[in-house]
Amino acid sequence: MSNQYYIPNSLTTSSLSQSSPQDMPAQNSFLSQVSFDPSNPEARCACVLLFDTSRSMAGDRISELNQGLIEFQSSLQEDELASVRVELAVLSFGNQVKVEQDFVLAEQFQSRPLYASGSTPMGQAVNLGLDMIEQRKQVYRQNGVAYYRPWFFLITDGAPTDEWRSAANRVRQAEARKSLAFFAVGVQDANMNTLQQFSMRPPIHLKGLRFRDMFVWLSKSLTSVSRSQPGEQVPLDQQAALGPMGWGEV
Amino acid sequence: MTSAKATNRAHLSSGLSLPWAMQVTATSLLLLMAFKGIMNFNAANKNTEQTVKKNGRHQRCEPTEVPTTQKTTDSHWRFAGASVVGSSHIKSQAPCQDAFQYKALATGEVVIAVSDGAGSATKAEEGSTFIATKAVECVEQLLAQTTPGCQEDWLALVRTAFAATRNALSEKAVADEAPLRAYAATLILVILTKDWTVCGLIGDCAAIILNQVGELCSLCTPQKGEYANTTNFLTQSDALECLNIQIKAESAQGAVILSDGLLNLALNLASNEPHPGFFQPLFAFLTAIQNEQEATTQLAAFLKSDRVNARTDDDKTVVIVSKA
């Protein structure tokens, strides 16, 4: 993963163009002439998605995940503000840790199907995801782009097969500094005790293979965060199909 | 997300560094007056000179002579202001949490306050309304008792006004049996006189003035924490340390004060420079309108328009003031 010190396309001004003043009342010619500053990039809400693509995910699990990801993309892209504020990166861990997608604006995100094989190098994947978030914040700061607290969303159906404790500690320390919001989801017979070690926030166990509901929830949550105002607690959607949430607010 | 505090610290304009003890003394003096209204500050200081250290050299700070005739307003001011609830609050059925207050004082100065309630504060709209009203009241009382003649005087006055407003809010919280944080809100205070332009800010509102030669200038920079949705609030325990004050020894032709819902439309956020295309039509609008009520109605309609709401779903406040 290269360091990005250039201004990526996604950081230039948003696709929300200044709309014409045609909807202004005719008698008010001065107010209809008010124009808006075109140079402010939208604030960014970065989200890293980490998907377990180990052997055990093959079959229904990975196909439901892939389907959910498609719906996630369309749900986000339906929201005008979320499209230009949410940035997504996708990492998979199975045979190897792979950057499926480097950070890209939601409006440009194109989901691709994931394939399952190999073991579960979760520790390495989490470490890489943390590095990517820190580097992304640097790019924002260097380019004068405001940003929200980034999200980290991990889905696994098993347990790590590599060294993971240092990654778990890094996550906990980052949470203590409020430098990210970490969510872990365990599928089927995932090792929830291990997942518990990663975060202050209790991991969620997915009901069945309801990836789509989970992704709709995630899309709504990211949309809320991306338009949240100072001092606002962002309530997570309590009616999510995931059932009673162990956590309250972000 | 809980509101994180920005790391901005109060700073004096023009690189002045007043010894802390003198600041506290000046502030305490004014606080005493504000609360008890006993001492006539002008009488006590009319024939004395204060000296302050500026850049290592002592500099005279001459108090303004109080003219023997009653001060008359040699210019009239026009105002228009509107607060409109954002579409995000419409969806959640929350009320507008912005508030503003403005007044042309009998002594000729103009005072404007805008306050933006914190999204999570349970009594945000009560907080912002109380703060905006109280801040203008405090400034009016202070200016009835004193005529600031130098930067240090204005610095002390603004600090006193913010402190007094915060104290009054604390007392209200106690009386209402609610925690102070329930009323969390930002505050920007702008004072225009025939010789001075003064701005105090805790939070992320913005003030842009039109100076005597027709240039647009930003006053205090809106305060943001690491994250886009974090700022400072008047209710936080170190609020007064986050107070930013800008003082210019010149008069302004007009000013526009905004809550943060309009920031990314009106300013270049990286440089804090005002976007002329936003402000010039607003001043022209105010000049053309004859009736303050009509101006307010049209301004509110503008803030509710589709093209504004395509860019922001926050509550929006704009107050425009200009010399008639």
Side-chain angles (χ1 to χ4, degrees):
Chain A
M1 147 102 198
S2 62
N3 284 332
Q4 294 176 345
Y5 292 107
Y6 57 89
I7 302 178
N9 284 342
S10 62
L11 282 182
T12 52
T13 56
S14 78
S15 60
L16 282 177
S17 55
Q18 295 181 28
S19 48
S20 69
Q22 284 154 3
D23 57 332
M24 287 306 300
Q27 76 269 17
N28 194 340
S29 57
F30 289 114
L31 289 181
S32 66
Q33 287 167 29
V34 172
S35 71
F36 302 150
D37 192 302
S39 58
N40 295 318
E42 294 288 339
R44 297 303 206 266
C45 179
C47 179
V48 175
L49 301 167
L50 259 78
F51 298 136
D52 183 339
T53 53
S54 60
R55 191 178 309 120
S56 53
M57 286 287 291
D60 284 346
R61 292 180 194 181
I62 201 79
S63 71
E64 286 302 311
L65 179 83
N66 283 329
Q67 198 54 44
L69 202 51
I70 292 170
E71 301 207 11
F72 177 64
Q73 174 191 333
S74 61
S75 173
L76 268 183
Q77 288 173 349
E78 269 165 21
D79 188 278
E80 205 177 343
L81 274 179
S83 291
V84 296
R85 290 190 182 170
V86 175
E87 286 195 344
L88 300 168
V90 181
L91 298 179
S92 65
F93 52 101
N95 270 329
Q96 55 179 325
V97 173
K98 187 176 172 207
V99 178
E100 300 281 349
Q101 173 68 63
D102 198 352
F103 281 108
V104 71
L105 265 181
E107 69 175 357
Q108 287 148 24
F109 176 69
Q110 188 57 54
S111 68
R112 284 185 294 269
L114 301 168
Y115 301 98
S117 76
S119 54
T120 314
M122 193 190 302
Q124 192 188 339
V126 168
N127 270 319
L128 179 58
L130 290 169
D131 292 341
M132 285 172 71
I133 283 182
E134 283 313 308
Q135 285 167 5
R136 196 61 184 167
K137 281 188 188 178
Q138 271 279 81
V139 172
Y140 295 152
R141 286 191 281 257
Q142 282 161 1
N143 291 284
V145 175
Y147 56 93
Y148 298 93
R149 191 187 319 183
W151 279 40
F152 204 107
F153 206 79
L154 167 67
I155 304 172
T156 179
D157 74 337
T161 52
D162 65 346
E163 198 283 313
W164 57 271
R165 287 190 192 280
S166 59
N169 284 338
R170 269 184 84 190
V171 172
R172 286 189 157 239
Q173 283 163 17
E175 280 186 323
R177 288 191 308 266
K178 295 194 187 300
S179 69
L180 51 73
F182 187 93
F183 299 85
V185 176
V187 180
Q188 308 280 35
D189 43 357
N191 188 325
M192 301 305 284
N193 287 328
T194 305
L195 280 183
Q196 179 76 67
Q197 305 298 314
F198 276 81
S199 172
M200 308 291 291
R201 186 175 283 113
I204 289 291
H205 189 261
L206 190 68
K207 285 183 186 167
L209 293 179
R210 294 168 72 171
F211 285 103
R212 290 188 213 195
D213 294 331
M214 181 202 76
F215 274 118
V216 164
W217 171 87
L218 180 60
S219 154
K220 285 185 184 165
S221 303
L222 287 172
T223 300
S224 291
V225 170
S226 71
R227 38 180 16 110
S228 63
Q229 302 305 333
E232 220 164 46
Q233 305 275 18
V234 182
L236 302 186
D237 184 358
Q238 296 298 324
Q239 287 154 9
L242 292 180
M245 307 295 280
W247 60 75
E249 295 161 340
V250 174
Chain B
M1 297 187 197
T2 54
S3 57
K5 291 172 286 186
T7 53
N8 286 346
R9 290 298 191 217
H11 71 266
L12 311 181
S13 64
S14 310
L16 291 167
S17 68
L18 190 63
W20 181 246
M22 284 190 75
Q23 278 191 56
V24 172
T25 305
T27 306
S28 303
L29 196 66
L30 282 168
L31 267 171
L32 187 69
M33 290 160 32
F35 294 152
K36 297 191 179 172
I38 296 169
M39 233 198 297
N40 184 330
F41 185 82
N42 280 332
N45 288 282
K46 216 184 241 181
N47 298 313
T48 62
E49 288 172 353
Q50 299 168 21
T51 60
V52 296
K53 223 171 186 180
K54 179 178 174 178
N55 298 331
R57 302 188 314 276
H58 278 89
Q59 178 135 352
R60 294 244 158 86
C61 168
E62 309 268 346
T64 303
E65 286 288 313
V66 177
T68 51
T69 57
Q70 185 182 352
K71 285 183 196 173
T72 53
T73 53
D74 56 347
S75 63
H76 295 283
W77 297 89
R78 289 167 169 261
F79 294 96
S83 277
V84 161
V85 66
S87 50
S88 65
H89 286 161
I90 292 173
K91 272 186 208 161
S92 60
Q93 296 180 326
C96 180
Q97 294 169 338
D98 277 7
F100 66 91
Q101 187 72 243
Y102 55 73
K103 194 163 184 184
L105 305 182
T107 37
E109 301 94 341
V110 157
V111 191
I112 306 117
V114 170
S115 176
D116 181 355
S120 60
T122 51
K123 295 173 183 284
E125 67 280 8
E126 222 181 306
S128 60
T129 306
F130 181 90
I131 287 169
T133 307
K134 184 58 68 177
V136 171
E137 261 176 40
C138 289
V139 172
E140 185 172 17
Q141 281 166 14
L142 291 167
L143 288 176
Q145 293 161 341
T146 160
T147 306
C150 61
Q151 304 232 3
E152 290 77 7
D153 289 349
W154 280 111
L155 204 69
L157 185 145
V158 174
R159 290 186 68 88
T160 303
F162 271 78
T165 303
R166 191 177 185 282
N167 285 337
L169 188 64
S170 293
E171 285 169 14
K172 175 183 167 54
V174 167
D176 292 350
E177 293 178 354
L180 184 58
R181 66 176 182 279
Y183 303 92
T186 61
L187 174 61
I188 191 166
L189 200 52
V190 174
I191 307 166
L192 305 180
T193 81
K194 65 177 178 53
D195 298 311
W196 300 93
T197 301
V198 176
C199 179
L201 171 66
I202 296 176
D204 54 2
C205 298
I208 281 77
I209 56 156
L210 189 64
N211 69 12
Q212 285 303 328
V213 298
E215 292 166 339
L216 293 167
C217 318
S218 286
L219 296 176
C220 301
T221 305
Q223 299 168 352
K224 293 285 190 192
E226 182 188 358
Y227 300 127
N229 54 347
T230 55
T231 187
N232 294 314
F233 298 108
L234 185 66
T235 47
Q236 67 198 46
S237 55
D238 64 344
L240 297 178
E241 288 169 54
C242 304
L243 171 58
N244 180 293
I245 303 174
Q246 299 287 330
I247 302 163
K248 289 177 181 283
E250 58 183 71
S251 64
Q253 288 190 56
V256 176
I257 296 96
L258 307 167
S259 65
D260 76 318
L262 289 167
L263 287 186
N264 67 342
L265 279 67
L267 307 176
N268 177 308
L269 293 175
S271 62
N272 203 39
E273 286 300 308
H275 176 62
F278 185 89
F279 294 97
Q280 286 160 356
L282 288 181
F283 285 118
F285 159 76
L286 190 59
T287 307
I289 286 281
Q290 298 302 317
N291 178 303
E292 188 172 321
Q293 189 53 50
E294 179 61 21
T296 297
T297 306
Q298 292 193 15
L299 210 48
F302 165 70
L303 293 180
K304 289 180 198 168
S305 69
D306 287 344
R307 72 185 183 104
V308 170
N309 284 290
R311 295 293 304 276
T312 170
D313 60 355
D314 193 10
D315 297 338
K316 294 164 277 290
T317 295
V318 58
V319 176
I320 320 170
V321 56
S322 68
K323 283 191 182 151

